[in-house]
């Protein structure tokens, strides 16, 4: 993957050769971490930039680059079988300068291989996929001061009752833009709701405060933490291997699969800066995050200013998959009118090309940015079936009264396309599309129904002739392109594309039945919708 963000004072194609200790000079407020970079005299970056930093990763790429090393997949054994070690003990890392050889590792056996996993790299993959958690990890009880967890909160949302409400307190430094990412919402809930995971996160500060070495000029610490129980978690990584492939050293974790998530169904998130937008009649494009110009520079030294809403920037993603995927949504305390689909319209959509990854402080002189390096792989679209309640009731009437046969529906979460927010509901839960095949009088039809129950947009049901589609392939082969065009086309069906795909007369759009209440139909309205649908067939 080619990184689009640049580190201001690093050369092109700067490869990280080694990672060292955390340290801070006495006259500074923020922490640095030792790094050694090929073709550069620089020996440190900010700890808040950790989402980007792993051994052999290439920064400031001018061409797409795969980090040196070999791919490896393995399953973690019970933590009780892990041993403490250092980089030096492995013998596979040749770089000797700085503090590289003394960095802490976990060592364990997996599938007849001895694996050395740097503790900092495991913590990065688990927690530090964004700079907010990197900054919070070095503050005593930061999460307790910034979040309050409310179990079984009162809720007037019958379709989406909450089991847990996570409140970001007014004291929080957590940028609200992170909550737009469902993966971050899972990660935050995982840390706050699983006591073993939360203790692991807090162990970073415990070890930091107990082992910190102080001198007159600076403070330093060799990273160490207590991992949560990870037995059975599958890891995909890259690293070095011995000639007989029996010993491995992990440079970077690329994916974690089967992390244990608490058995909770519905989670809400409140941030004091959330502002709900009331739907308007205009289509808009769904709005944008506060973003930077295409050419972005991360200042390795500057602190963040408090004068801007955090911009969202991206680094190479770590894929995370949990064994349980609850529904999540944002919860609002107030609403304001909107136009054209943009949230917080008074906020600028572009900022200075130079940014800091640190939290804001009195010394900050450039805009702060929020790094997002997490790709959630949860397959939980089935959890949102109830959003299509009126649509499925209409199909039931067609089945019972008009001899229409229907298949089991498939529900997909719409993908993120560019900077549009159309793939998200106004509560920031995923917007989904239901796909159903029906048969009537010997003819088959494929129905595409997009969830518009939030009233943010209006789009008719797409009806496609199965007979016309059959000669060229299966619908699933064309769905990604249909979704891309749908979300890139101001949230409307791509008519010309369907004309080319199946022919102008072989697809139709059936408008939704008007309702007295946005997104919900009563029984008589559903019946009228079924009759109109039958006439189209």
């Amino acid at each position: 993957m080619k990184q689009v963000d640049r580190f201001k004072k690093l050369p092109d194609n700067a490869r990280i050769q080694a990672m060292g200790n955390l340290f801070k000079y006495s006259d500074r407020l923020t922490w640095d971490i030792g790094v050694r970079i090929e073709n550069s005299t620089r020996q440190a970056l900010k700890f808040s930039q950790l989402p980007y930093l792993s051994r052999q990763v290439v920064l400031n790429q001018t061409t797409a680059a795969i980090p040196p090393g070999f791919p490896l997949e393995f399953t973690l054994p019970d933590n009780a079988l892990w041993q403490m070690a250092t980089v030096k003990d492995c013998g596979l890392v040749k770089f000797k300068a700085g503090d590289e050889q003394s960095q802490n590792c976990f060592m364990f056996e997996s599938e007849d291989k001895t694996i050395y996993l740097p503790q900092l790299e495991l913590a990065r993959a688990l927690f530090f996929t964004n700079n907010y958690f990197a900054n919070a990890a070095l503050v005593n009880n930061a999460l307790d001061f910034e979040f309050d967890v409310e179990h079984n909160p009162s809720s007037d949302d019958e379709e989406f009752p909450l089991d847990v409400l996570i409140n970001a307190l007014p004291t929080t430094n957590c940028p609200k833009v992170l909550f737009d990412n469902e993966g971050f919402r899972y990660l935050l809930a995982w840390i706050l709701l699983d006591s073993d995971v939360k203790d692991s996160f807090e162990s970073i500060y415990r070890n930091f405060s107990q082992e910190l070495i102080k001198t007159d000029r600076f403070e330093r610490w060799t990273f160490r933490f207590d991992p949560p129980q990870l037995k059975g978690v599958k890891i995909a990584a890259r690293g070095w291997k011995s000639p007989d492939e029996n010993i491995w050293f992990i440079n970077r974790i690329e994916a974690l699969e089967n992390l244990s998530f608490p058995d909770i169904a519905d989670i809400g998130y409140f941030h004091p800066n959330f502002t709900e937008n009331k739907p308007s009649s205009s289509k808009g494009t769904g709005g944008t995050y506060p973003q930077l110009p295409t050419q972005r520079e991360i200042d390795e030294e500057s602190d963040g200013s408090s004068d801007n809403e955090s911009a969202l920037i991206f680094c190479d993603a770590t894929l995370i998959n949990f064994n349980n995927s609850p529904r999540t949504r944002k919860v609002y305390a107030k609403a304001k009118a909107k136009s054209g689909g943009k949230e917080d319209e008074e906020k600028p959509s572009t900022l200075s090309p130079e940014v800091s990854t640190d939290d804001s402080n009195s010394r900050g002189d450039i805009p702060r940015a929020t790094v997002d390096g997490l790709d959630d792989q949860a397959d939980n679209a089935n959890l949102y079936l109830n959003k299509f309640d009126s649509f499925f009731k209409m199909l039931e009437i067609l089945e019972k009264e008009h001899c229409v046969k229907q298949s089991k529906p498939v529900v997909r979460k719409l993908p993120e396309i560019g900077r549009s927010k159309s793939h998200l509901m106004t509560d920031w839960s995923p917007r989904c599309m239901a796909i159903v095949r029906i048969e009537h009088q010997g003819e088959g039809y494929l129905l595409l129904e997009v969830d518009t129950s939030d009233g943010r947009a209006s789009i008719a049901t797409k009806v496609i002739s199965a007979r016309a589609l059959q000669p060229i392939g299966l619908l699933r082969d064309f769905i990604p392109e249909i979704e891309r065009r749908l979300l890139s086309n101001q949230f409307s069906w791509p008519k010309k594309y369907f004309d080319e795909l199946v022919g102008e007369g072989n697809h139709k759009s059936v408008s939704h039945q008007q309702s007295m209440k946005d997104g919900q139909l009563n029984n008589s309205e559903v019946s009228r919708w079924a009759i109109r649908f039958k006439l189209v067939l």
Side-chain angles (χ1 to χ4, degrees), residues 99-114:
D99 305 312
E100 167 75 331
Q101 295 289 321
S102 62
Q103 295 307 300
N104 291 315
C105 293
F106 297 116
M107 182 188 73
F108 46 80
E109 303 291 325
S110 179
E111 295 148 23
D112 299 323
K113 294 179 176 64
T114 300

Side-chain angles (χ1 to χ4, degrees), residues 23-42:
F23 68 94
K24 180 176 78 67
Y25 289 103
S26 301
D27 61 345
R28 294 299 303 271
L29 297 174
T30 54
W31 286 84
D32 293 340
I33 184 168
V35 295
R36 293 303 176 97
I37 297 173
E38 191 175 44
N39 300 324
S40 173
T41 58
R42 190 167 191 87

Side-chain angles (χ1 to χ4, degrees), residues 85-381:
T86 64
V87 173
K88 181 179 179 180
D89 297 328
C90 176
L92 293 177
V93 179
K94 305 305 180 184
F95 197 90
K96 306 295 183 184
D99 305 312
E100 167 75 331
Q101 295 289 321
S102 62
Q103 295 307 300
N104 291 315
C105 293
F106 297 116
M107 182 188 73
F108 46 80
E109 303 291 325
S110 179
E111 295 148 23
D112 299 323
K113 294 179 176 64
T114 300
I115 295 174
Y116 288 80
L117 175 57
Q119 292 200 21
L120 181 60
E121 176 57 21
L122 178 60
R124 185 204 62 79
L126 290 172
F127 302 131
F128 302 145
T129 52
N130 61 75
N131 53 327
Y132 166 70
F133 281 134
N135 290 325
L138 302 183
V139 178
N140 188 26
N141 294 323
L143 300 185
D144 288 337
F145 284 112
E146 298 195 17
F147 296 98
D148 175 68
V149 177
E150 186 178 351
H151 292 271
N152 300 312
S154 58
S155 174
D156 57 0
D157 191 332
E158 296 180 358
E159 292 187 1
F160 201 151
L162 297 177
D163 299 311
V164 170
L165 177 62
I166 295 176
N167 294 286
L169 301 175
T171 53
T172 189
N173 286 311
C174 186
K176 69 173 184 177
V177 71
L178 276 176
F179 290 87
D180 298 352
N181 181 347
E182 188 173 39
F184 172 77
R185 299 200 296 265
Y186 282 148
L187 184 61
L188 177 63
W190 184 58
I191 295 174
L192 293 178
L193 301 178
D194 187 313
S195 59
D196 181 38
V197 177
K198 189 166 186 280
D199 183 72
S200 173
F201 184 84
E202 293 175 342
S203 76
I204 298 170
Y205 180 81
R206 285 199 304 270
N207 291 319
F208 168 74
S209 61
Q210 294 168 8
E211 301 168 0
L212 189 64
I213 297 174
K214 297 183 180 182
T215 69
D216 292 338
R217 293 183 57 245
F218 64 89
E219 304 172 17
R220 65 181 173 86
W221 176 55
T222 303
F223 185 90
R224 188 168 71 87
F225 84 120
D226 306 321
Q229 179 55 252
L230 297 173
K231 180 180 179 181
V233 171
K234 297 179 180 179
I235 288 183
R238 297 188 70 87
W240 304 129
K241 62 182 178 179
S242 61
D244 60 8
E245 300 190 9
N246 289 332
I247 300 175
W248 284 76
F249 179 84
I250 302 304
N251 288 323
R252 181 175 177 86
I253 293 173
E254 297 178 336
L256 299 121
E257 184 178 353
N258 199 37
L259 287 167
S260 179
F261 196 94
D263 186 16
I264 296 172
D266 297 295
I267 304 175
Y269 299 80
F270 172 79
H271 191 288
N273 293 333
F274 284 167
T275 303
E276 182 178 17
N277 292 316
K278 295 179 179 180
S280 71
S281 58
S282 59
K283 284 185 177 180
T285 59
T288 63
Y289 299 115
Q291 291 281 351
L292 304 178
T294 302
Q295 187 65 36
R296 299 169 279 194
E297 287 191 330
I298 299 169
D299 193 316
E300 295 92 324
E301 298 176 350
S302 295
D303 296 338
S305 167
S306 58
D307 294 337
N308 71 286
E309 185 68 43
S310 282
L312 191 66
I313 61 179
F314 301 93
C315 66
D316 287 0
T318 299
L319 308 182
I320 288 185
N321 179 269
F322 293 101
N323 64 356
N324 173 41
S325 301
R327 296 191 302 175
T328 68
R329 68 178 174 95
K330 292 165 66 175
V331 175
Y332 300 93
K334 55 184 178 179
K336 69 176 184 180
K338 81 168 187 178
S339 175
K342 291 186 178 180
E343 180 176 301
D344 296 335
E345 290 186 7
E346 72 277 7
K347 303 293 183 182
S349 61
T350 60
L351 300 172
S352 161
E354 294 184 9
V355 294
S356 168
T357 55
D358 271 327
D359 289 337
S360 59
N361 61 61
S362 59
R363 300 187 184 185
D365 55 1
I366 63 174
R368 57 196 168 112
T370 299
V371 181
D372 184 359
L374 177 62
D375 184 4
D376 167 55
Q377 295 292 294
D379 182 14
N380 63 348

Side-chain angles (χ1 to χ4, degrees), residues 39-80:
N39 300 324
S40 173
T41 58
R42 190 167 191 87
Q43 298 185 18
L45 292 170
K46 283 182 171 289
F47 185 67
S48 61
Q49 290 153 4
L50 194 63
Y52 291 91
L53 310 181
S54 298
R55 291 168 179 84
Q56 305 305 317
V57 162
V58 179
L59 304 174
N60 290 0
Q61 295 178 23
T62 58
T63 58
I66 298 176
F70 303 94
L72 174 68
E73 295 184 2
F74 59 94
T75 302
L76 292 173
D78 191 293
N79 290 26

